[in-house]
Amino acid sequence: MAEIEAGIEGTPDLVRRTAFERVLVGIHDEYRDRIATVGEQEASAYRRSSPEA
């Protein structure tokens, strides 16, 4: 989910970004029980391993 969110945030077109955000909310709601919960420790590790870090 974090990678998808990052891609959405990088979308320059506001209309498309808003549409993508709505779709992502729907995906999150539909698959809520299948998405791993990420805490601060995991998020920090992800940020450190990201090529943009």
Side-chain angles (χ1 to χ4, degrees):
M1 294 294 290
E3 290 180 17
I4 297 170
E5 289 173 356
I8 290 171
E9 289 174 4
T11 303
D13 183 321
L14 181 59
V15 173
R16 291 183 73 196
R17 183 173 49 224
T18 301
F20 292 149
E21 288 170 345
R22 282 192 212 125
V23 170
L24 186 60
V25 167
I27 290 169
H28 184 267
D29 291 346
E30 187 170 336
Y31 294 96
R32 176 183 316 272
D33 60 336
R34 297 184 182 133
I35 298 172
T37 302
V38 177
E40 184 57 37
Q41 184 177 3
E42 293 85 0
S44 179
Y46 174 79
R47 285 190 299 269
R48 286 192 307 270
S49 69
S50 175
E52 296 176 12

